[in-house]
Structure formats: structure tokens, C-alpha cells
Amino acid sequence: MIDLINEILATLQHNKLRTALTGFAVSWGIFLLIVLLSVSQGLINGMETMFAAHDTESMTITGGWAHKPYDGLSEDRPITLRDRDLAILKSKNGSTVTSATARINSDTIIISTQKDYLSDGFSGVYPSELRSEGATLERGRFINEADIRSERRVIVLHKKNAEILFGKHTDPVGLQVKVGELSFTIVGTYDHEWNKRSYIPYTTARSMSGGSDKVNRITVGVKNLNGLADGEKAEKALRQTLGREHRFDPTDSSALWIWNRYNQHLATSSAMGAVQFAVWIIGLLTMLSGIVGVSNIMFVSVRERTHEIGVRRAIGARPLAILRQIILESVAITTIFGYVGIISGLLVANTINSLAEKGDWMFLKNATIDIAIALQVTVVLIVAGALAGLFPALKSLKIKPVEALRDE
């Protein structure tokens, strides 16, 4: 075995430039494969993290404009959701709807302290709104069921808004703010990438609405869905239910805007799977170009060593020994330079991951590859190297000793 290894190393050192150029193509292919796999895995992890912060088994409904005449009513009329729609949606779609909550927005009321004020207004919500919005609780708590039942005057602020009202180093939980002319107690703060609304209990907001029963949007939790077709069917059922209640054509897509989080999650997950598959294909095709180069070099090597192979055959070398040496030389080139590509790819992947962590990139999380993928790449390298050397090795067996000894 030691003699075989020495022979392989001597052959590789004999043509250093040719070996290096051929190995570079293999390294480049593996390098791209590792980097692309790590980035694609980071994208998948990022998407899963964002979806985990949201309630993916839900649909959010917002009123729109009915653009089709229906049941004697004219076109281009607004569709306004009402409090009563919550009970109707649950009773008419009991097989798929688990819950129905509403949200009221007020964009005109000022939220203030003696230090500063906010002009963003507030939203009256249910406890499920925190997960529905994908927000992260920073301090204290969110709106709870007791707040809803008792119509408590409590409020949850975005952490940046809390800093505006009280200063950067003050814990606002337990302090008071003015919402219009009413005093509210801050029970928590939250963080969100772009949303900075202030939240109060839905029932409290309803009592402040002057007797109106209008809601800005409704969110329904869904169950018993198994695939995109079920998600589309459930969405269609919601349109039909509200179409009967508000007298608009259920096929009029502009009458309601429905954010189907369930189907969006499935579609995005499927797309991420397709991306990872495409990355493997692109990486393997890139690596294939390097493997073809290795195979060509091995054909040249066999041609240059025709006399040597003939001598070995003449003195009794078995065909299997020659076959093994050619294949192992090919595997050695592929594996050695392949590992250079793996190490380089891992270094770049770790650099990208560090940049993502420092920059808090929401779309890219843990952009690294695990040991299982590294083992898969190793197996691919060994198999590719063996295949690259197989055909040149088979050609070497066709060399006749007598003809090879005449070949100078």
C-alpha cells in the first residue's frame, strides 16, 4: 500500500502544473457548491424563523370595494366588516375556522406624556395579535383575556416609541400615558422590524369608538387543512360566507382582501425546497466540469505511460493492479483538491454567517452546513473521482505488452 501511495504521489508531482490546473477546476466546483448550499440553508432558516414568529395557520380579512353589480346593488361600493361577522364566520365555517378576532384602528388620537407625544394612534386587538403580527415581546406582557373581559385601560408600546415618551434608560412598564384624554397603564413593550403601532384591548377600543361596530380587519384561525387545495377551498368558503352577509359576488376578488398565511407558508416552503435542489444541480454541474478535466488528464497520463504499463504487464502485473492505480490516482486528485474547495467554501460561508449575525439579517439565519452535508460532499468526491478514472483505467487494460514495448 505504501508503494502504491508513493507511486501516486510521484505521478502527481511529475506534472505539477497540469495537476494544479486540473485540481483548481475541481476545487472551484466544490467551493461554489459549499457556498451555495450554506447560503440556501441560511435562506431556508431565515424564512422558517420569520414564519415561526407568525401564526401560519390563519387568514386575515380586510374589506375592499365590490366592483361587480350584485343582488340589485351597484358596483364600486365599499365593503365594511362588522363585529357580527366574527360569530357568523365561526358558525358557518366550523369545520375549518377555530377562532375569529377583530382589530380596530384609530389614527387620530394622540398618545402623550409630559416629555413627548406620538401621533400614530392605536389599534384595539385581541391577545393573538402579537403572534399574528410576528412581533417580539421585549418587556412586561401583551394584552390578555382579562384585559378584554374587563375593558382595562392598558397599553403595549413599541420599544422605540417608549423611548420617545420616557427616555432611553427608563423602564416604561407600569407607567402612565395619556391616550386622548384618558389615562392608560403601560403593561409591556414589543419589537418589530417596521410596525410601531400601540396596542390596547379590543373591547376598550370598542367602547371608545362612539357606538360604531365597524372593524378594520378580521383574523381567523384555521384547522383541518392539508395542502394548498384545502387552503384555497377554505379561503373561498370565507368569501362566500361574507358575500352572503354583505351582499357581494363571492367571485369578486376586490370585495375582500384575504391574506392566506397558510398557503403562503406552504408555497414559500416549497419554493425554498426547489431552491436547495437547484443549488445542488448547479453545484454538481459546476463540479462536473472539473471531473471531466480530471478524466481527460488521466487519459493523457495513460497515453504518456503506455511504455511503463507495457513493461509492468510483461513482468506479470495483474490488470486489476493497473486498474486500481489509475482509479486511485484520479480519486487522489479529486479528493485532495476537493477538500481545498470544501475548506475554502466553509471559510467563506462562516464569513457570510458572521456578517448576517452582526447585521441582524432577518432573511439569513445560521448560513452554515452541517456534518451530514459535508459527508455527502465527501461521498460525491470519492465517487466522482472513481468515475473520472474508470474509463482511462479501462483503456489502459487494452494496451498489449508487445505493442507497448515498441512504443517509445
Side-chain angles (χ1 to χ4, degrees):
M1 178 58 70
I2 295 177
D3 291 338
L4 179 60
I5 294 174
N6 290 332
E7 287 181 13
I8 292 174
L9 293 176
T11 302
L12 298 181
Q13 291 176 355
H14 180 68
N15 295 292
K16 295 180 181 179
L17 179 60
R18 187 172 68 188
T19 301
L21 292 176
T22 304
F24 175 78
V26 177
S27 296
W28 180 248
I30 293 295
F31 171 81
L32 285 180
L33 178 60
I34 293 297
V35 172
L36 289 174
L37 282 175
S38 62
V39 171
S40 66
Q41 187 60 51
L43 289 173
I44 292 173
N45 292 339
M47 294 302 298
E48 289 297 330
T49 299
M50 286 189 284
F51 276 121
H54 290 78
D55 184 4
T56 56
E57 295 191 349
S58 66
M59 299 184 190
T60 296
I61 308 168
T62 304
W65 287 79
H67 289 329
K68 296 180 180 180
Y70 185 76
D71 197 22
L73 299 176
S74 63
E75 59 186 10
D76 295 329
R77 52 193 173 85
I79 302 300
T80 303
L81 301 177
R82 308 282 180 177
D83 270 332
R84 63 178 182 271
D85 293 330
L86 301 180
I88 293 171
L89 286 170
K90 290 178 67 175
S91 63
K92 300 296 183 181
N93 300 275
S95 61
T96 56
V97 173
T98 59
S99 63
T101 59
R103 170 171 167 165
I104 306 170
N105 294 331
S106 176
D107 300 321
T108 58
I109 292 182
I110 301 297
I111 301 173
S112 62
T113 62
Q114 293 181 349
K115 178 179 176 60
D116 213 328
Y117 71 93
L118 304 171
S119 58
D120 299 331
F122 62 80
S123 294
V125 299
Y126 283 85
S128 59
E129 189 75 9
L130 179 69
R131 181 166 172 77
S132 178
E133 286 289 291
T136 303
L137 198 62
E138 286 284 316
R139 291 179 175 177
R141 63 174 178 84
F142 197 66
I143 305 301
N144 60 30
E145 292 294 341
D147 298 331
I148 299 293
R149 289 193 302 269
S150 302
E151 298 183 17
R152 290 173 177 168
R153 292 180 184 175
V154 294
I155 189 169
V156 179
L157 301 175
H158 188 278
K159 66 175 186 178
K160 295 295 184 182
N161 288 341
E163 291 176 4
I164 293 173
L165 295 176
F166 297 99
K168 192 171 184 179
H169 302 292
T170 302
D171 184 356
V173 176
L175 301 181
Q176 300 285 314
V177 295
K178 285 281 189 179
V179 180
E181 297 300 322
L182 301 175
S183 292
F184 277 67
T185 301
I186 300 172
V187 294
T189 61
Y190 73 95
D191 188 22
H192 194 278
E193 188 175 0
W194 53 265
N195 176 36
K196 293 185 179 181
R197 301 285 297 184
S198 300
Y199 296 112
I200 69 173
Y202 179 82
T203 50
T204 306
R206 174 56 71 209
S207 67
M208 297 169 62
S209 64
S212 173
D213 66 343
K214 296 179 181 179
V215 299
N216 292 97
R217 74 183 198 188
I218 293 174
T219 298
V220 297
V222 294
K223 63 179 180 179
N224 300 329
L225 303 184
N226 297 294
L228 292 171
D230 285 351
E232 292 173 358
K233 184 178 179 181
E235 181 180 333
K236 183 179 179 181
L238 296 178
R239 288 186 181 277
Q240 290 174 341
T241 299
L242 292 176
R244 288 191 296 268
E245 178 64 21
H246 293 272
R247 297 172 65 190
F248 65 81
D249 188 341
T251 63
D252 188 351
S253 59
S254 62
L256 293 177
W257 182 83
I258 298 182
W259 180 9
N260 192 331
R261 290 189 178 93
Y262 177 80
N263 275 18
Q264 183 187 45
H265 180 228
L266 291 182
T268 303
S269 299
S270 178
M272 288 297 100
V275 166
Q276 195 167 41
F277 177 75
V279 164
W280 269 104
I281 296 299
I282 293 171
L284 291 176
L285 289 177
T286 304
M287 190 177 68
L288 181 61
S289 63
I291 300 303
V292 171
V294 173
S295 185
N296 287 335
I297 290 302
M298 294 310 300
F299 272 115
V300 173
S301 178
V302 169
R303 179 69 184 88
E304 291 177 346
R305 295 159 63 189
T306 299
H307 187 74
E308 174 194 334
I309 293 173
V311 170
R312 293 181 62 186
R313 292 288 302 278
I315 61 177
R318 295 182 178 180
L320 182 60
I322 297 173
L323 184 72
R324 182 177 59 183
Q325 181 176 351
I326 301 298
I327 291 177
L328 289 179
E329 286 179 13
S330 176
V331 171
I333 294 175
T334 307
T335 304
I336 291 172
F337 287 96
Y339 273 111
V340 172
I342 289 177
I343 294 172
S344 302
L346 288 175
L347 290 175
V348 172
N350 287 331
T351 301
I352 294 173
N353 188 51
S354 297
L355 291 174
E357 290 178 352
K358 291 179 181 179
D360 196 22
W361 299 350
M362 293 296 295
F363 62 90
L364 199 66
K365 294 290 185 182
N366 193 24
T368 57
I369 60 172
D370 57 26
I371 188 64
I373 295 180
L375 291 174
Q376 291 173 13
V377 173
T378 301
V379 172
V380 169
L381 281 175
I382 295 174
V383 173
L387 291 176
L390 178 61
F391 296 104
L394 292 175
K395 181 181 179 181
S396 70
L397 297 182
K398 297 179 181 179
I399 298 175
K400 296 181 180 180
V402 176
E403 295 178 357
L405 291 173
R406 290 202 305 265
D407 187 12
E408 297 291 343

PDB file of all heavy atoms in Angstrom, residues 101 327 360:
ATOM      1  N   THR A 101     -61.020  36.806  15.412  1.00  0.00           N
ATOM      2  CA  THR A 101     -60.746  38.013  16.192  1.00  0.00           C
ATOM      3  C   THR A 101     -60.716  39.212  15.257  1.00  0.00           C
ATOM      4  O   THR A 101     -60.479  39.070  14.054  1.00  0.00           O
ATOM      5  CB  THR A 101     -59.397  37.914  16.928  1.00  0.00           C
ATOM      6  OG1 THR A 101     -58.356  37.711  15.967  1.00  0.00           O
ATOM      7  CG2 THR A 101     -59.404  36.762  17.924  1.00  0.00           C
ATOM      8  N   ILE A 327      -7.318   4.442 -11.111  1.00  0.00           N
ATOM      9  CA  ILE A 327      -8.516   4.958 -10.434  1.00  0.00           C
ATOM     10  C   ILE A 327      -8.132   5.707  -9.165  1.00  0.00           C
ATOM     11  O   ILE A 327      -8.664   6.787  -8.878  1.00  0.00           O
ATOM     12  CB  ILE A 327      -9.493   3.811 -10.117  1.00  0.00           C
ATOM     13  CG1 ILE A 327     -10.091   3.250 -11.425  1.00  0.00           C
ATOM     14  CG2 ILE A 327     -10.614   4.293  -9.198  1.00  0.00           C
ATOM     15  CD1 ILE A 327     -11.021   2.074 -11.229  1.00  0.00           C
ATOM     16  N   ASP A 360     -27.759  41.530  11.689  1.00  0.00           N
ATOM     17  CA  ASP A 360     -29.119  41.125  12.069  1.00  0.00           C
ATOM     18  C   ASP A 360     -30.006  40.972  10.835  1.00  0.00           C
ATOM     19  O   ASP A 360     -31.108  41.520  10.763  1.00  0.00           O
ATOM     20  CB  ASP A 360     -29.726  42.138  13.041  1.00  0.00           C
ATOM     21  CG  ASP A 360     -30.957  41.574  13.756  1.00  0.00           C
ATOM     22  OD1 ASP A 360     -31.077  40.341  13.816  1.00  0.00           O
ATOM     23  OD2 ASP A 360     -31.799  42.365  14.217  1.00  0.00           O
TER      24      ASP A 360
END
